[in-house]
Every structure is written in C-alpha cells, then in structure tokens.
Amino acid sequence: MTKPIRALLALSITAAVIGLGGCKKEPTPTTTTGAPATAPAGETADQFVARVNDEYRKMYPEMTAAQWLSSTYINDDSQLLSAKANERYLAQLNSWIDQAKRFEGQQMSPETARAIQLLKLGTAMPPPKNPEHLAELTQIATKMEGTYGAGTYCKGEGDDMQCRQLGDLEDVLRSNRDYDAQLDAWQGWHTVSQPMRKDYVRFVELVNEGARDMGFADTGEMWRSGYDMTPAEIAAETDRLWSQVKPLYEQLHCFARTRLDAKYGTDRGHVAGNMLPAHLLGNMWQQDWGNRWDILAPYPDASIPEITGALESQYKASFDAQLTKNPGKRSPDDLAQIEQDAKLATAKLMTERAQDFYTSLGMAKLPESYWSKTQFIKPRDRDVVCHASAWDMNMAGDVRTKMCIKPNEEDFTTIYHELGHVYYYMAYNKLPPLFQQGAHDGFHEAIGDTIVLAMTPQYLQSIGLAGDQQVSNEALINAQMRMALAKVSFLPFGLMIDRWRWGVFDGSIKPADYNKAWWELKAKYQGVAPVSARGEEFFDAGAKYHVPGNTPYTRYFLSHVLQFQFYKALCDAAGHKGPLYECSFYGNKEAGAKFQAMLSKGASQPWQKTLKELTGGEQMDASAVLEYFAPLQTWLKQQNEGKTCGWQADASVAAPAPTDKPAAPAKS
Ligand code: X8Z
Ligand code: ZN
C-alpha cells in the first residue's frame, strides 16, 4: 500500500454543510475536525489550495494513527476508532471538494488546477453524500480489512482442532510438496472470505453512490481517471501493454504445465483446458511462482542464488545466539520468546540490508523512529494485518513499514519494495501535501521493484547471501527464470483483479456471478483454474487482500512494466554496458541522483513529464521487459517446441459442471 490515507481519502458532504440555510448570513460552521466547512469570502483559487494543503497536513496524523492502531491491534475498539477517524476525514474532504466548485471554469495557474484535480481524485473509496451511508461505508471497510487480517482456518474437532492463519497456510504452499496438503491450505484460506461476500455487495453500492455523487459513472471510472489521460485511454493502454508481454507469459505457462505434468502426472498436473491448478503454484493467488523452484528450475545442478537458505541460516544462528545468552531450563513460553527475539533480529538485519542498497545510491538513512515504530514481525499476542505496507504517518519523517517478515526470498524482496515507498515519501515530503503522491500509483509501486531488478546474482554474492556464481549459459537461464517466476507470472494477475472490479463497479458483473466471473478472468488471463467447483457460496476475490482492503490493483500491472523502464534508465545513468540483465547499479551515485530527482517530483507534474525526465520517453512500454528476458524467451521456445501451448479458458470447472467427468485436454 502506498500512503494509506490515499485509499481512504474520499469526497462527501459533511453534516455541517454550507448553503442549507439559503441566503441568511450564518456563523461559519466548523466540522468536527475544527477546520471551517465553508470557504472564506473572496478566497482565490491559489489561497484555497494553500488552505486545503494546510488543513490537510494538520488533520492527517490523527487519521493515520487510528489506522495504524486498527491494523496492528485488530479489535472492536480500534476498528470503531479507525472507522470514525476515517468518516471525519472523508467528510472534511467532501467539504473541500464542494468548496472547490466555486473555481470551476476560472483562470488559474497549472499547479493550482492540478492540485484541485488531485483533490478530487485522491481517493479509492468515494463516499456517498448521505452521512448515514458514509458512516456505514467506513464501518464496512474497516470490518472487511479486519476480517481479512484476523482470518483463520480451523479444521478437526475438540483437542484435535488445528487453526491456521494466512502465514501458516502460505508456508504450506511454499514448502510442502504434498498435493493434498497444498489443496487443503488453498481451500482453507478461501473459506475465510465467504462471510465477506454480503459486505462487499453493500460496499460496492455505497462507493458507487459516492462516485455518482461526484459525477463519475461508477467507482471503476473514477479509479481510471487518475492517469493524466481519459479512463478509456488508460484501459486501452493496459490492453496494449498486455499484448506486448502475453507471448512471453504463454511460453512460461507452457513450460510450467509440462513440468507440473511431469511431477504430478497428466491427470493432476493440469486442469481441463490445459490450465494450471490454482493450488500447485506455490502461492495462494498464483501471482508469483518462485516457490516452485523445486519443479521449475531450468538447470537444477547449475548455480542459482539460494537466498532463502542463507536467510534461514541467519535466523538459526540468531536463535542459537539467543539460546546461549539465556542458558538454563526454559519453559515453553521462554522458548517461544527466544524464537520471537531471533525472528525480530533477523527481520531487522534483512531490513538493514535493504536500507544499505538505498544509502549506497546516496540516499539518506531511515530515521531512528523508523526502527522503533515499525512492525517487523507478527506479534505473538494479537491479530494484525500482515499484508505488507509502508506508511507516512505525518508527512514529516515518521515513516514506518508494517510486515510479518519471515526469513525467505519473497519477504526479503518485499522489504526492498516497501522501502521504495518509504524513500518516495521522504523525497516528496517537502512538497505541498496534495502533490505528495506518486507521479501515478504505478510509479509508487515500481520504485522498490526497480531495486529488486538490480539484485543480480553478483550483488547477492557481494552481500554474502549467495555463494560463488558460475558464468555459464545454464546459470544465466536459472537467474532469468528466478526473476521471471516473480515478474512475468505476475503480469496477467496484475491485470485481472481490476478487470473483475471494473466489471463489478459498472454492473456488468452482478453479485450473483461474482465467483463465476472471477474464475473466468483467472482462466482468460492467467490460464489458471481450481480443481473443484467454486460456486457462488464462495467469494474467492475476497481472499486477496486488495479486495477487502480496497486497494486498486492496476498500479501493480503498470509497475511491472515501468520498473523495467526505470531499471534500464538507471543502468544507462550508471554507464552500464552489456546485456540489460547483467546490470546492477548498487553503489552508483549517478543512478541514485537520477532516481532521487524523480522521486522528489511526486505528483507535481503529469507523469509523462516525470517519465521523460528519467527515461527520455513519455510512454509506458514493455520493450524493456522483453529485452531483459530475451535469453529466457529463446530458451523457453526451444523447450516448448512441439508442445501444444496455450489453454482453453472456457473449460474451467469454476461453476459446477453438469457431470463430474473432467473435460478432455484442449487441442488448440
Ligand atoms: O501489495 C503489495 C505490496 C504492498 S503495496 C506488498 N504487492 C502486491 C501484492 O502483494 O499482491 C506487491 C506486489 C503485488
Ligand atoms: Zn507497494
């Protein structure tokens, strides 16, 4: 998540709304935030923007504090306070939007016009003007996020009952190779979202009411309006970018199916229509296949940076050190605490490592308060939202991350991702608050990932997380595959989530078809399918954080294209010669200065200009993705030669089939 408040910024009318009393002169009403709900007479557009920036800055910390508490201590009280703080904030924002109407059609500077535009678009959750509906909306939103965070799957009875949360279930998909255990973990997690379904239907009604109040056709159209182009244009852009990378994804898909068939047999390695079984890809949502290195490694005997093993060893060393520090007899509770201390120490080491990359580019160290206030690991005593996020608490240096870090490669790279958000916050903190956003939301998501692309095997070796790296074609293909399993497998996933939500918001996907449409889109874009029917008693979209958390997802798709453009530009700045994939700009101050210049622009100008300053071009473009993966694509084509690639999306078993006989594999 980027600045968390953005997801909650919204526009509705406060109860102390202006104008209800007709022409009678009344004292200026104030909202519960203490800011005036009416605009001072004679205020110019410039003065208005300056005042909103000032009021925004003042009320912001109270809102983030409430949200931080409700995400790191999930209980009824924290949720009540968070929903209330959100409601107050949204009401205030709506008042600003209303006040801004005075300036419509007036001459003003481009900066002021941009600030007013951003004010209108700075929310993912447009609240209805009706105050009761606004209160209902903030309560539902807080509740859904809490339900996700506290989600637990229990099975068995009495003393044999076993209860697991998302982290434990993800561990099964990551490391347990038993087909049925993986299926149980996948299905188990998808029970957690079933009760959210009713809430989500209501949520959609309420945000759509808010979007219409603001003049948008629906919430999806509002989401698509934040890209310095029309909603139709950005939708077409995503199609265009997808068509650039789709052939590469199809090759990877084909290769994965062959390997799954080899491991599980053709009856279990794929689902009807040649689609990949949802529970076998090492990840709850099939968005990153890196955990299935066991079957997807191109050359198991050639070298590959084995980061997870190295991180686990660090954890074990830390655990042993804590044990030695506390000799003698220990209760189970003492041992659990020692384990917790070792986890924390390892998580902090991993974070220091990530910080080191940024400081090597010439960026500042994280402030002391970052280290004391961040949530590094899952607490032992309470439910928290584990989904990783980065927070700017006060626009003045109180930055934090919230994660439940484990010593594995996925979490290690996620820390680099989160610090990308944090460094963006710190770089644009000096701008007026309305410009304290990414150039567009995909930029925000791409910063840390650009650094991840620069984590080459040589970089990992240099920081002691990988042994000597061979120079061979096998090692190269392994390294490319490692990156592709994270980046290429993500692309269709990054697209399908909002294809689903855009349809839900515009009414083309009805509540009675939520799950059917979800699996149709999974099939169409990812070529992934469940192995048993997923009827409408399920709400599988809700099992992905960003749906109950209401975080737009197109940003991640765009980021997975942009990050390769950024990476190439920084490699150029660092004077890199040779193939793109060999470049690491670790330690390069020229690349750092160029990156920092981009970050410090925030949203103060159209993103096309910011992109041009960094890369020389004004368009998002996937050719850097293809350039990076050229050796792998050639290799995949050879591997897939003679195979029937592609899949038949309509062969899915998402809806109960007339008979339970599996359909014949596709011939296409
Ligand atoms: O949600 C995230 C980050 C926080 S902004 C951890 N990501 C997406 C996801 O996990 O689904 C990063 C990549 C995609
Ligand atoms: Zn992010």
Side-chain angles (χ1 to χ4, degrees):
M1 174 155 87
T2 60
K3 191 186 283 287
I5 203 76
R6 304 291 177 210
L8 299 157
L9 286 179
L11 323 163
S12 92
I13 294 281
T14 147
V17 69
I18 42 171
L20 291 179
C23 341
K24 198 158 61 89
K25 182 104 178 68
E26 285 170 341
T28 306
T30 56
T31 64
T32 46
T33 63
T38 54
E43 191 177 46
T44 65
D46 285 353
Q47 287 165 341
F48 168 70
V49 167
R51 178 169 61 80
V52 169
N53 272 321
D54 190 44
E55 290 171 3
Y56 179 22
R57 194 188 288 281
K58 284 191 182 125
M59 70 168 52
Y60 181 80
E62 178 191 324
M63 175 71 191
T64 45
Q67 248 214 301
W68 175 266
L69 283 178
S70 72
S71 299
T72 57
Y73 286 79
I74 301 177
N75 60 44
D76 292 348
D77 301 327
S78 66
Q79 293 198 0
L80 184 146
L81 293 176
S82 171
K84 277 280 167 208
N86 194 9
E87 186 186 329
R88 271 201 300 283
Y89 187 83
L90 295 179
Q92 175 60 59
L93 188 63
N94 238 346
S95 167
W96 287 331
I97 299 291
D98 212 48
Q99 295 172 35
K101 292 204 177 111
R102 285 172 298 156
F103 306 109
E104 274 168 19
Q106 281 190 16
Q107 278 288 342
M108 60 184 89
S109 70
E111 292 78 48
T112 298
R114 187 169 176 82
I116 291 178
Q117 173 74 356
L118 287 171
L119 181 69
K120 289 180 189 160
L121 290 173
T123 178
M125 200 171 82
K129 288 186 176 183
N130 177 325
E132 276 154 30
H133 288 179
L134 167 58
E136 188 186 355
L137 175 63
T138 59
Q139 283 160 26
I140 291 182
T142 310
K143 182 179 162 205
M144 286 194 303
E145 183 155 7
T147 305
Y148 185 95
T152 307
Y153 163 54
C154 297
K155 66 172 189 176
E157 302 273 312
D159 287 349
D160 290 336
M161 174 142 22
Q162 184 199 23
C163 289
R164 288 172 296 172
Q165 295 200 320
L166 179 59
D168 304 318
L169 299 166
E170 285 185 290
D171 283 346
V172 174
L173 298 188
R174 182 179 298 115
S175 342
N176 190 324
R177 295 298 160 238
D178 181 72
Y179 181 97
D180 293 323
Q182 293 178 84
L183 185 56
D184 173 55
W186 186 89
Q187 288 178 335
W189 175 247
H190 285 75
T191 60
V192 162
S193 51
Q194 286 177 279
M196 282 177 207
R197 189 184 173 99
K198 262 199 359 253
D199 285 337
Y200 196 75
V201 173
R202 181 67 183 144
F203 175 84
V204 170
E205 286 168 5
L206 290 169
V207 285
N208 271 346
E209 186 180 322
R212 282 192 299 269
D213 285 349
M214 286 168 54
F216 293 100
D218 63 78
T219 307
E221 187 188 83
M222 185 184 169
W223 286 8
R224 294 189 298 279
S225 298
Y227 292 95
D228 296 307
M229 51 174 66
T230 65
E233 281 166 350
I234 188 64
E237 274 296 271
T238 58
D239 283 337
R240 181 180 65 79
L241 296 170
W242 172 234
S243 70
Q244 282 187 283
V245 292
K246 194 170 168 225
L248 175 60
Y249 178 75
E250 283 173 351
Q251 294 291 335
L252 187 65
H253 181 282
C254 196
F255 171 75
R257 179 167 52 81
T258 308
R259 289 285 179 99
L260 281 163
D261 280 350
K263 164 86 181 177
Y264 295 101
T266 47
D267 54 336
R268 301 214 293 183
H270 66 262
V271 186
N274 276 345
M275 290 188 279
L276 311 180
H279 66 289
L280 289 183
L281 293 171
N283 174 279
M284 200 59 85
W285 311 278
Q286 312 83 44
Q287 66 185 72
D288 179 337
W289 306 345
N291 291 324
R292 293 315 309 260
W293 189 253
D294 59 321
I295 53 169
L296 298 175
Y299 297 105
D301 299 330
S303 74
I304 179 73
E306 222 295 276
I307 314 182
T308 297
L311 293 170
E312 272 170 358
S313 309
Q314 282 188 2
Y315 165 71
K316 285 199 188 93
S318 175
F319 180 74
D320 291 343
Q322 307 272 356
L323 270 186
T324 325
K325 259 205 291 187
N326 304 280
K329 200 158 168 280
R330 300 172 197 92
S331 67
D333 193 58
D334 291 340
L335 271 179
Q337 191 53 45
I338 289 175
E339 213 175 280
Q340 188 78 350
D341 292 345
K343 282 183 189 159
L344 181 61
T346 310
K348 284 190 176 171
L349 274 178
M350 291 162 71
T351 310
E352 279 165 11
R353 239 325 138 214
Q355 173 186 243
D356 169 69
F357 201 122
Y358 289 87
T359 56
S360 89
L361 301 177
M363 298 186 189
K365 280 193 153 190
L366 296 164
E368 213 31 64
S369 60
Y370 170 85
W371 298 99
S372 56
K373 295 185 172 178
T374 278
Q375 177 193 292
F376 290 98
I377 57 170
K378 191 174 193 298
R380 285 176 61 205
D381 60 345
R382 60 183 190 270
D383 285 326
V384 299
V385 178
C386 273
H387 188 83
S389 53
W391 298 61
D392 182 355
M393 301 298 291
N394 64 357
M395 305 183 194
D398 182 355
V399 285
R400 308 175 192 174
T401 50
K402 177 183 66 56
M403 286 186 68
C404 297
I405 299 174
K406 291 181 184 170
N408 62 50
E409 176 169 352
E410 210 176 323
D411 283 7
F412 189 52
T413 54
T414 301
I415 300 172
Y416 285 68
H417 173 95
E418 295 307 333
L419 289 195
H421 291 308
V422 168
Y423 276 95
Y424 216 162
Y425 298 148
M426 295 195 298
Y428 61 47
N429 268 170
K430 60 183 183 315
L431 294 177
L434 288 170
F435 290 156
Q436 292 194 30
Q437 302 184 41
H440 70 48
D441 53 7
F443 278 61
H444 228 302
E445 298 304 335
I447 307 308
D449 282 19
T450 302
I451 307 272
V452 171
L453 291 176
M455 294 167 73
T456 54
Q458 286 66 34
Y459 162 76
L460 293 166
Q461 185 188 342
S462 76
I463 61 169
L465 278 182
D468 284 351
Q469 296 300 304
Q470 295 163 4
V471 182
S472 68
N473 192 52
E474 282 80 2
L476 166 63
I477 296 301
N478 274 354
Q480 288 248 301
M481 181 63 87
R482 171 179 155 263
M483 206 55 103
L485 294 178
K487 303 291 182 192
V488 178
S489 60
F490 181 83
L491 289 159
F493 181 74
L495 208 56
M496 64 76 46
I497 296 231
D498 280 355
R499 289 289 190 271
W500 183 80
R501 277 190 297 200
W502 293 352
V504 165
F505 289 137
D506 74 16
S508 57
I509 298 174
K510 305 261 180 298
D513 294 326
Y514 273 1
N515 231 39
K516 178 168 165 278
W518 175 259
W519 285 106
E520 280 169 4
L521 288 163
K522 297 279 290 179
K524 174 176 173 191
Y525 286 102
Q526 291 184 275
V528 157
V531 293
S532 58
R534 305 293 299 172
E536 296 301 329
E537 68 278 27
F538 296 108
F539 178 48
D540 291 327
K544 175 67 192 165
Y545 168 76
H546 302 70
V547 173
N550 196 43
T551 309
Y553 213 82
T554 304
R555 59 183 60 183
Y556 301 106
F557 173 75
L558 299 177
S559 150
H560 276 67
V561 173
L562 275 173
Q563 60 191 253
F564 285 85
Q565 291 177 266
F566 295 174
Y567 171 66
K568 186 172 161 70
L570 297 183
C571 291
D572 285 347
H576 173 75
K577 300 274 176 281
L580 185 55
Y581 53 79
E582 272 181 4
C583 158
S584 177
F585 47 79
Y586 177 69
N588 189 285
K589 301 285 186 287
E590 284 76 25
K594 216 155 176 203
F595 216 15
Q596 182 70 19
M598 192 262 253
L599 300 183
S600 59
K601 285 280 157 76
S604 63
Q605 59 188 27
W607 65 261
Q608 290 88 341
K609 187 158 188 277
T610 307
L611 186 63
K612 188 161 189 187
E613 284 164 8
L614 183 72
T615 66
E618 299 192 329
Q619 267 216 325
M620 293 184 276
D621 176 31
S623 51
V625 179
L626 302 178
E627 180 184 342
Y628 181 96
F629 286 116
L632 182 71
Q633 189 156 12
T634 305
W635 184 85
L636 282 171
K637 276 187 193 148
Q638 287 161 3
Q639 300 298 309
N640 295 331
E641 223 172 273
K643 301 252 159 48
T644 308
C645 289
W647 60 90
Q648 275 194 327
D650 54 7
S652 157
V653 292
T659 70
D660 54 10
K661 219 169 89 202
K667 297 272 183 324
S668 72

